Amino acid sequence: MDTRRLILVMIFTFSSFMLWENWQKHNQPKPAPNEAAAAKSATGAPTPSASLQAGTVTATAGVTPAVTTTNTAETFTVTTDRVKATISLQGGDLVGLELLKYKEHDNKDKNFLLLDTKHQYVVQSGLIGDGLPSHRSQFRRVAGPNELAEGSNELKIRLETDAANGAKVAKILTFKRGSYVVDVAWEIANGGDKAVAPHAYFQIQRDDVAPAGETKMVSTFTGPAIYTEAEKYQKIDFADIAKDKAKFAKTADNGWLAMVQHYFVTAWVPQEKTQREYYMRKVEGNLFQAGAIVPIAEIAPGSKSLTSATLFAGPQEQAALKQIAPGLDLVVDYGWLTVVAAPIFWALEAIYKLVGNWGWAIVVLTILIKLVFFPLSAASYKSMAKMRVLTPRLMQLKERFADDKQRLNQEMMKLYQTEKVNPLGGCLPILVQIPVFIALYWVLLGAVEMRDAPWIGWINDLASPDPYYILPVIMIISMFIQTKLNPTPPDPIQAKVMMAMPLIFGVMFLWFPAGLVLYWVVNNVLSIAQQWQITRMMEAGGKAANDAKA
């Protein structure tokens, strides 16, 4: 088997695996409702474990979730330079979040909604303790502005309520200029005659439906994730949560909890060195909760206490995520190729700063990667060129020994030895490059910077498919040209399969993001130029050698 066919078979196998995996994700039956997860608590709040209440957390600590019904209370909106947030007076929940710098996938005239009622995607928090308010309690807003004032760097929203135990409770949300971070604080003034030792919980609620733009061809992870120093980054499938089989770090004094989807993330980051319990449960239908419970130091009668957590809800911009919490940038998940993909993205970002366009940055990066691997590619193409020169003689051997396969193989090996040709000589150089190309694929697929980023002319969004299929058609043509430059397989059936491969891959790439197709087109064009030049040189050399012998 010649090098090119081996490579194509490997690529086809890898692509088939990806398609099967994504088909399974989209077509597997929904898990049956978990009745145990539907048990309510009186306040609608999760319950801390006995060990957390006692101040000593064990690895087996757990929580009891509660069913969360749709929030239908009165709402109001606040606006900053980055977001338009909808806040409910029931619990002070963040029930809507419009990102002003990003557009909807299917309607570029509308801003992107990260938190919305369609997915029942809301951010909640509350207090746990006798008579203290939860995310179901009613609050009143203290008068204040609804927009971030010119020249101001933050906008504070204060909500208050009177607790049943006599405490005065306030929930304070602080939005910041130029940021998707919201500081959420609970202020408790103990007006009773007894000391209280409450807990605060911070949770995210969402259904298990993938966001708009996900297809069977290009599918990414949607669901909760946790990071701790001990367990590192952990993604949890909704199906595992529904079956009570989810495995994740339950307790820690560090880390964060998030709800991840393609390009965007919502994350709670409790204060460092504060003990917390992480929990995840299915609550009703296809609705899930993931959150953290944090203890609050005992509050004496007549005293006040303030506890807070950082909320991030926005795009997966890696530089910004790194500044918020350790490991938060890992939500941009490159899988097992992170060690390769991370420097590739760094290089892509550096090129973008020079050229000012993500499309041209992809073109330049592809050229640079091609230059780095030029010696390896040249070795592979030389091997292919030698095989192309030998193809007529191989065909003659096949005709001569058509009925004797053993003799045919012996004669072919003798020919290879005589001409000093290794039919698999180009495999190793290509195999070395495959991890880099796959890593670049995941970089282009996962980078939110590609979303709504234009290139030229008709390409207005590198994260969406080419609207006129021009790039996929060019890619099909380039693959046909590459096929013609390769040695023709001796077997007619194999030759037909090789000719069909460009069309098969071209159809697949019709639904791929334009940025990915742009990379493949540029890579193919450069490969054709290099392969054509090497093949021309080898054929000229072979002709000269034959003339000399004559």
Side-chain angles (χ1 to χ4, degrees):
M1 182 182 290
D2 63 77
T3 305
R4 189 63 182 177
R5 282 187 286 129
L6 178 60
I7 296 166
L8 288 175
V9 168
M10 292 174 62
I11 295 174
F12 183 75
T13 302
F14 174 73
S15 302
S16 300
F17 170 76
M18 291 178 62
L19 287 172
W20 171 255
E21 185 179 41
N22 289 330
W23 184 88
Q24 289 284 73
K25 288 180 181 179
H26 281 267
N27 292 281
Q28 63 185 354
K30 297 293 183 184
N34 188 334
E35 299 298 334
K40 291 187 179 181
S41 67
T43 63
T47 305
S49 67
S51 54
L52 185 64
Q53 295 182 54
T56 57
V57 178
T58 66
T60 58
V63 296
T64 303
V67 172
T68 301
T69 56
T70 303
N71 190 324
T72 58
E74 180 184 348
T75 63
F76 63 94
T77 60
V78 297
T79 306
T80 72
D81 60 327
R82 294 293 179 90
V83 302
K84 183 177 181 180
T86 302
I87 302 171
S88 173
L89 291 180
Q90 180 178 303
D93 293 353
L94 202 57
V95 296
L97 192 69
E98 185 177 329
L99 306 187
L100 304 181
K101 303 291 185 181
Y102 293 88
K103 301 298 180 181
E104 286 284 357
H105 180 271
D106 299 324
N107 188 347
K108 298 303 180 182
D109 294 328
K110 292 184 178 181
N111 293 325
F112 177 73
L113 284 174
L114 178 56
L115 306 179
D116 64 353
T117 55
K118 178 181 178 182
H119 292 284
Q120 297 189 54
Y121 191 178
V122 297
V123 173
Q124 304 167 327
S125 64
L127 298 175
I128 304 169
D130 187 24
L132 292 174
S134 71
H135 65 276
R136 290 183 178 178
S137 303
Q138 197 67 24
F139 284 76
R140 59 184 178 274
R141 185 187 175 187
V142 176
N146 286 345
E147 293 188 17
L148 182 64
E150 196 71 35
S152 178
N153 289 324
E154 62 181 32
L155 171 64
K156 284 185 179 291
I157 305 298
R158 186 180 177 91
L159 307 171
E160 295 181 344
T161 190
D162 298 320
N165 64 359
K168 302 286 185 180
V169 178
K171 184 176 183 178
I172 306 162
L173 297 89
T174 305
F175 296 83
K176 301 181 180 182
R177 180 178 295 279
S179 176
Y180 296 96
V181 168
V182 183
D183 288 332
V184 180
W186 285 95
E187 181 184 280
I188 308 170
N190 187 1
D193 56 1
K194 295 181 180 179
V196 294
H199 293 73
Y201 65 93
F202 305 92
Q203 69 184 19
I204 305 167
Q205 176 182 286
R206 192 193 193 283
D207 65 19
D208 61 355
V209 180
E214 292 291 278
T215 69
K216 295 181 182 181
M217 302 297 292
V218 181
S219 181
T220 56
F221 175 74
T222 299
I226 280 180
Y227 178 89
T228 63
E229 291 180 2
E231 301 293 339
K232 302 305 180 185
Y233 182 60
Q234 297 174 292
K235 296 186 297 184
I236 299 90
D237 289 332
F238 285 122
D240 290 336
I241 299 173
K243 298 173 184 176
D244 285 332
K245 294 182 178 180
K247 295 181 180 180
F248 57 91
K250 302 292 195 304
T251 61
D253 65 353
N254 60 82
W256 46 263
L257 174 138
M259 192 67 72
V260 182
Q261 68 183 62
H262 197 193
Y263 297 129
F264 301 97
V265 61
T266 302
W268 278 115
V269 185
Q271 294 180 357
E272 280 293 305
K273 304 304 178 185
T274 300
Q275 199 66 46
R276 77 285 307 264
E277 285 182 355
Y278 294 114
Y279 63 93
M280 297 180 191
R281 291 293 187 271
K282 180 176 182 178
V283 287
E284 59 181 3
N286 65 337
L287 204 58
F288 294 80
Q289 289 177 341
I293 302 176
V294 178
I296 300 174
E298 186 176 83
I299 309 170
S303 298
K304 280 187 178 182
S305 176
L306 187 73
T307 188
S308 65
T310 297
L311 170 69
F312 177 88
Q316 296 175 7
E317 297 174 345
Q318 297 180 54
L321 295 175
K322 287 179 181 179
Q323 296 176 1
I324 296 168
L328 190 54
D329 58 305
L330 294 176
V331 296
V332 186
D333 188 12
Y334 302 133
W336 59 277
L337 285 172
T338 298
V339 66
V340 180
I344 288 177
F345 178 78
W346 177 87
L348 182 65
E349 194 173 34
I351 295 169
Y352 168 75
K353 291 177 181 178
L354 293 175
V355 301
N357 181 283
W358 285 105
W360 290 117
I362 292 172
V363 173
V364 173
L365 179 64
T366 307
I367 294 172
L368 292 177
I369 291 176
K370 202 68 180 174
L371 288 173
V372 170
F373 286 111
F374 181 85
L376 292 175
S377 299
S380 176
Y381 294 142
K382 284 179 182 178
S383 177
M384 293 181 192
K386 290 179 180 179
M387 288 296 298
R388 184 182 176 89
V389 172
L390 291 180
T391 297
R393 297 167 68 180
L394 290 171
M395 294 295 290
Q396 292 175 1
L397 289 176
K398 182 177 177 61
E399 293 175 3
R400 187 182 305 171
F401 303 105
D403 298 327
D404 191 347
K405 296 294 183 182
Q406 184 176 357
R407 180 69 186 278
L408 174 62
N409 290 331
Q410 291 174 350
E411 293 297 327
M412 288 174 64
M413 291 304 299
K414 186 184 297 183
L415 178 62
Y416 292 147
Q417 292 173 359
T418 303
E419 299 297 332
K420 298 180 179 179
V421 174
N422 182 357
L424 300 179
C427 289
L428 182 59
I430 296 298
L431 289 174
V432 172
Q433 299 176 60
I434 286 176
V436 176
F437 293 142
I438 296 176
L440 182 56
Y441 166 88
W442 285 110
V443 166
L444 297 178
L445 182 64
V448 70
E449 288 80 2
M450 301 297 124
R451 205 174 195 274
D452 298 327
W455 179 41
I456 57 173
W458 73 102
I459 302 294
N460 297 314
D461 183 2
L462 289 168
S464 297
D466 184 334
Y468 303 112
Y469 306 116
I470 295 174
L471 284 177
V473 169
I474 295 174
M475 196 197 78
I476 292 173
I477 294 171
S478 68
M479 290 189 71
F480 270 121
I481 295 173
Q482 281 185 301
T483 302
K484 289 295 185 181
L485 289 173
N486 294 331
T488 303
D491 188 337
I493 296 178
Q494 290 181 356
K496 290 180 181 179
V497 170
M498 291 301 105
M499 289 301 295
M501 292 295 280
L503 186 60
I504 294 172
F505 279 101
V507 171
M508 289 172 53
F509 272 74
L510 290 176
W511 293 278
F512 273 52
L516 284 171
V517 185
L518 174 61
Y519 155 70
W520 280 106
V521 167
V522 175
N523 184 69
N524 282 358
V525 170
L526 294 174
S527 297
I528 289 169
Q530 185 180 9
Q531 188 174 359
W532 177 80
Q533 176 64 17
I534 291 174
T535 301
R536 190 172 65 88
M537 292 172 59
M538 295 297 296
E539 289 180 346
K543 184 178 180 181
N546 291 333
D547 291 343
K549 289 179 181 179

